[in-house]
Amino acid sequence: MGAKNALICLGGGPSPVINASLQGVLERCLAATDKMREVYCASHGIEGVLLEELIDMRQEDPRELARLRSTPASGAIGTCRYKLGAGREEDFDRILEVFKAHDIGYFFYIGGNDSMDTADKVSELARQAGLELVAVGVPKTIDNDLGDEACTIIDHTPGYGSAARYWANLIREVDEENRGICVSECVSVFQAMGRAAGFLTAASRLADPGREMPLQLYLAECSHSLEFLAENVNRQLHESGRCIVVVNEGFDVGDIGARVDGFGHIEYGASQKSACQGVVNYLNSVKLRARGYANCQVPGVLQRCTGVQRSPVDVQEAYEVGLHGADLALAGESGYMATILREPGAAYRVRYDKVPLRVVANSERFLPESWIAENRIDVTDDFVRYAAPLIGEGIAPLEFENGILRFARLERHMTAQRCPKYVPVGMRG
Amino acid sequence: MGAKNALICLGGGPSPVINASLQGVLERCLAATDKMREVYCASHGIEGVLLEELIDMRQEDPRELARLRSTPASGAIGTCRYKLGAGREEDFDRILEVFKAHDIGYFFYIGGNDSMDTADKVSELARQAGLELVAVGVPKTIDNDLGDEACTIIDHTPGYGSAARYWANLIREVDEENRGICVSECVSVFQAMGRAAGFLTAASRLADPGREMPLQLYLAECSHSLEFLAENVNRQLHESGRCIVVVNEGFDVGDIGARVDGFGHIEYGASQKSACQGVVNYLNSVKLRARGYANCQVPGVLQRCTGVQRSPVDVQEAYEVGLHGADLALAGESGYMATILREPGAAYRVRYDKVPLRVVANSERFLPESWIAENRIDVTDDFVRYAAPLIGEGIAPLEFENGILRFARLERHMTAQRCPKYVPVGMRG
């Protein structure tokens, strides 16, 4: 394949380190001038491809691009939750039209399982149409729900280490807060993201591997009832005089008045009642011991966009798996997602590998049964050994300007449009 | 007065820098061996005095005491919300009994307006009983609702700068997140603490003094309706395609199933419905423009216990106002609260002063009308000029251990009890 242009998309929800992966991919692509002439980022992922809104990355100030590593969330380029698939075949034709018009020979998709599904479909479509296209995925999801439970496909996903660190330190701080307040008994309830996977809820245990805190985890994998939760809380109040409860956002508290996103997933933040509020109301309506009452905290999007709590390990790995993804593409390895695998041995070390997109597309990983404690409201030491290295030491590089976080400021020069106007199927009517 | 013992109490809710003030008071007291023989902290504030649970601070490891400055919340010593007053006269007799038994000549109360009220009552009572007692208050409240609107009593309270910084950076991050997500329209709703005072909600503006973000502030002082809010949000969606809304915890969304604490204040975190959820449900039930929907974030206690976002200015001032409070006491100035006043001029500088406890006891400050913008959903540049220096530059000193915040670990050696057992009036029956 002669020199072609490269296109990078972000997909799905933001993460604290998604831009570190973007920086890794960009760095290699911008340097590979013999193979990649122009390097584009689609504004807002696949929606930007459909709308032919392509940002010319060669025009950006390299000093600002260097700041991507300390810039959480995906405001720099934009992401989307647009679903390609049945009933939207026109969209696929449009993608190929845009690819041809801009001579795209390299296609990168940074995202979770839905994004890998999209990348796989686009790759297959290009092959059928006889288009020369190297398609490579780069993993990203704070939920850590991509791959297999044995961690043979991927050990963990970039973004998880930072979100885990957010939860671990949050619980550490809340324990300090609760120990300090009134002698009256108090139950602090928190709601963690993660959909059907309990990895984020589980990360709270990293605050206290020695199990000294009155901490209870309600993992998505366990499907507990409110009655079971209330019994546990009352027992904890009897023992400790206080309790910290972390429930997964999908904890069943009856009808929450749910809304769904473009992929048919529940948007828990937009429901009429949060799982956390449901738990708090139940606890405050039943007889809690003595003077106890429960209070409600829903950090919501903060757990996926907070820059200050990013894990230095996560930032570095997100960057390196981006580099590796670009290396795969430059070596002509199409149809793969770059992966992070853990080396055997006591010291934490990783290596970067690859897995066919097809294997991870729409894959889903849950917290393995062997990592759930016998009491069903905790995780095992094996989980702690798995997750502890991911939150890292010290703090990741940060830049402040007058006390406010300073993020990358991109100019977003749009490349000239060459195709007719198009309205994506999912945006019609 | 010959050499006596000193007693320090914390009162009310925690703050990210309350321990910095404690460290300031302690440092001076521990050094003043000619005037203060023993230095005690009451475990859990005035409750600890009533229960005669006094921690002997001379027995603590000085290296751990030095860590108080980087330890948020009040887990080290403990605080309470116990209300002294009508119907609880026995408690006052008990306090004097404990003071006499432990030869307390210096009494420090670190807290908000309720705590200053307590300190004032104890001081007056000791005077009436002919007890030699120097009583000094040290201010603390993230709400910044202590003093007068003209800032002649106190310019700002320790704790506010750090909580303001938490909000400013949170909004900065959420703006980055929202800019990045789908082209679909999104309204992120946040609930800030502050009871009837809008200073915390107002601090969100520090994220964006140039007013480039689609940010709307619903200040407690303005008593807006849901209809007014929905109109503003729809206008913003029309202009910007997205909107960030910060509502004060007391925003009126109808019946929230409120609970009250020992002081008769509403415990917003324990209500059956949060103001934030009420706003989200209203917005999602009315016709938002296009594909817009609202989502709900309630950081709750995180805004008052988070260590990572502490303001370096706030940490330093909290420490220095603690030193100043101890200096007042050592000079025999009884019945005062130490204060922070701002020096005139463009450069931000403060000096430390004092105000009679009686003046601040039960005082309440609201956001001045002159700092509320004409559109009623923003603050003025004057407010930004007031608040911006309080969040500081860089990051305050932090200590991590395996990626988890390392806080002061006190031994809490309790001094021997000398009084008969006593059950505080508020803890009976």
Side-chain angles (χ1 to χ4, degrees), chain B residues 34-48:
Chain B
D34 55 328
K35 293 193 170 174
M36 300 176 182
R37 285 194 315 272
E38 301 301 332
V39 180
Y40 303 123
C41 280
S43 176
H44 291 281
I46 208 70
E47 281 193 10

Side-chain angles (χ1 to χ4, degrees), chain A residues 14 44 47 71-76 78-81 165-166 168-170 172-174 176-177 179-183 190 206-207 259 267 269-274 277 280-281 284 291-302 304-309 391-395 398 400-405 407-408 426-427, chain B residues 14 44 47 71-76 78-81 165-166 168-170 172-174 176-177 179-183 190 206-207 259 267 269-274 277 280-281 284 291-302 304-309 391-395 398 400-405 407-408 426-427:
Chain A
H44 290 282
E47 280 193 11
T71 302
S74 47
T79 177
C80 73
R81 287 190 190 279
R165 183 172 164 129
Y166 176 84
N169 274 300
L170 177 167
R172 178 73 193 86
E173 292 168 329
V174 167
E176 192 72 12
E177 143 112 15
R179 276 201 303 124
I181 58 170
C182 330
V183 181
F190 289 83
L206 300 177
R259 290 177 73 103
E267 286 274 8
S271 62
Q272 283 170 44
K273 187 172 76 176
S274 62
Q277 188 74 62
V280 164
N281 292 359
N284 287 339
R291 297 188 284 161
Y293 67 86
N295 59 62
C296 176
Q297 275 73 220
V298 184
V301 297
L302 301 178
R304 72 183 187 196
C305 70
T306 294
V308 181
Q309 280 292 9
I391 69 174
E393 300 276 353
I395 59 172
L398 285 170
F400 284 95
E401 204 172 55
N402 302 320
I404 305 292
L405 286 159
F407 297 148
M427 298 170 81
Chain B
H44 291 281
E47 281 193 10
T71 302
S74 47
T79 177
C80 73
R81 288 191 189 279
R165 183 173 163 128
Y166 176 85
N169 275 299
L170 176 167
R172 178 73 192 85
E173 292 168 329
V174 166
E176 193 72 12
E177 142 114 16
R179 275 202 302 126
I181 58 170
C182 328
V183 181
F190 289 82
L206 300 177
R259 290 177 73 104
E267 288 273 9
S271 62
Q272 283 171 44
K273 186 171 76 178
S274 63
Q277 188 73 62
V280 163
N281 291 358
N284 286 339
R291 297 189 285 160
Y293 66 87
N295 57 63
C296 175
Q297 274 74 220
V298 184
V301 299
L302 301 178
R304 71 184 188 196
C305 71
T306 295
V308 181
Q309 279 293 8
I391 69 174
E393 300 276 353
I395 58 171
L398 285 171
F400 284 96
E401 203 173 57
N402 303 320
I404 305 292
L405 286 159
F407 298 148
M427 298 171 83

Side-chain angles (χ1 to χ4, degrees), chain A residues 128-344:
Chain A
Q128 287 170 13
L131 204 72
E132 273 192 314
L133 184 76
V134 173
V136 167
V138 175
K140 174 265 358 165
T141 169
I142 62 163
D143 296 346
N144 201 36
D145 61 350
L146 205 139
D148 61 331
E149 294 192 359
C151 299
T152 58
I153 294 176
I154 189 166
D155 183 74
H156 56 276
T157 53
Y160 176 60
S162 293
R165 183 172 164 129
Y166 176 84
W167 275 102
N169 274 300
L170 177 167
I171 296 298
R172 178 73 193 86
E173 292 168 329
V174 167
D175 182 66
E176 192 72 12
E177 143 112 15
N178 287 2
R179 276 201 303 124
I181 58 170
C182 330
V183 181
S184 95
E185 297 172 335
C186 138
V187 185
S188 287
V189 185
F190 289 83
Q191 177 171 326
M193 284 181 164
R195 303 187 183 281
F199 289 98
L200 287 176
T201 306
S204 304
R205 172 50 67 203
L206 300 177
D208 175 40
R211 295 185 177 72
E212 293 171 7
M213 295 180 188
L215 175 63
Q216 300 184 349
L217 311 180
Y218 292 86
L219 305 158
E221 289 79 1
C222 293
S223 305
H224 292 308
S225 68
L226 281 169
E227 292 77 9
F228 176 78
L229 182 147
E231 275 168 34
N232 291 325
V233 167
N234 258 328
R235 196 184 55 247
Q236 190 82 63
L237 288 178
H238 183 65
E239 287 168 18
S240 327
R242 60 193 181 88
C243 189
I244 302 173
V245 170
V246 186
V247 297
N248 182 277
E249 61 189 357
F251 187 96
D252 183 12
V253 294
D255 181 21
I256 59 165
R259 290 177 73 103
V260 295
D261 71 8
F263 282 88
H265 302 316
I266 293 177
E267 286 274 8
Y268 290 101
S271 62
Q272 283 170 44
K273 187 172 76 176
S274 62
C276 187
Q277 188 74 62
V279 166
V280 164
N281 292 359
Y282 185 81
L283 287 176
N284 287 339
S285 71
V286 299
K287 181 89 190 114
L288 281 186
R289 289 182 57 87
R291 297 188 284 161
Y293 67 86
N295 59 62
C296 176
Q297 275 73 220
V298 184
V301 297
L302 301 178
Q303 64 202 285
R304 72 183 187 196
C305 70
T306 294
V308 181
Q309 280 292 9
R310 287 176 315 143
S311 152
V313 166
D314 193 25
V315 172
Q316 184 63 20
E317 289 180 352
Y319 169 69
E320 289 180 2
V321 79
L323 291 177
H324 183 67
D327 286 339
L328 287 175
L330 288 166
E333 302 244 39
S334 187
Y336 291 101
M337 181 185 81
T339 60
I340 304 175
L341 294 174
R342 191 182 304 224
E343 296 284 19

Side-chain angles (χ1 to χ4, degrees), chain B residues 271-415:
Chain B
S271 62
Q272 283 171 44
K273 186 171 76 178
S274 63
C276 187
Q277 188 73 62
V279 166
V280 163
N281 291 358
Y282 185 81
L283 288 175
N284 286 339
S285 71
V286 299
K287 182 90 191 114
L288 282 187
R289 289 181 58 85
R291 297 189 285 160
Y293 66 87
N295 57 63
C296 175
Q297 274 74 220
V298 184
V301 299
L302 301 178
Q303 63 201 286
R304 71 184 188 196
C305 71
T306 295
V308 181
Q309 279 293 8
R310 288 175 315 142
S311 151
V313 166
D314 193 26
V315 172
Q316 184 62 22
E317 289 180 352
Y319 169 69
E320 289 180 1
V321 80
L323 291 178
H324 184 67
D327 286 340
L328 288 175
L330 288 166
E333 304 244 38
S334 186
Y336 292 101
M337 182 186 81
T339 61
I340 303 174
L341 294 174
R342 191 182 305 224
E343 296 283 18
Y348 176 76
R349 279 184 310 126
V350 297
R351 65 187 170 86
Y352 300 96
D353 206 326
K354 65 179 193 288
V355 62
L357 286 171
R358 188 69 44 88
V359 173
V360 281
N362 290 315
S363 79
E364 211 172 0
R365 167 160 73 181
F366 303 101
L367 202 67
E369 179 61 31
S370 61
W371 284 353
I372 299 170
E374 246 179 81
N375 69 2
R376 312 302 287 167
I377 52 170
D378 199 354
V379 285
T380 63
D381 290 340
D382 277 347
F383 169 79
V384 172
R385 278 186 284 273
Y386 163 79
L390 310 182
I391 69 174
E393 300 276 353
I395 58 171
L398 285 171
E399 195 178 343
F400 284 96
E401 203 173 57
N402 303 320
I404 305 292
L405 286 159
R406 165 72 160 90
F407 298 148
R409 291 179 193 138
L410 302 191
E411 296 278 344
R412 299 171 59 96
H413 297 277
M414 293 291 171
T415 195

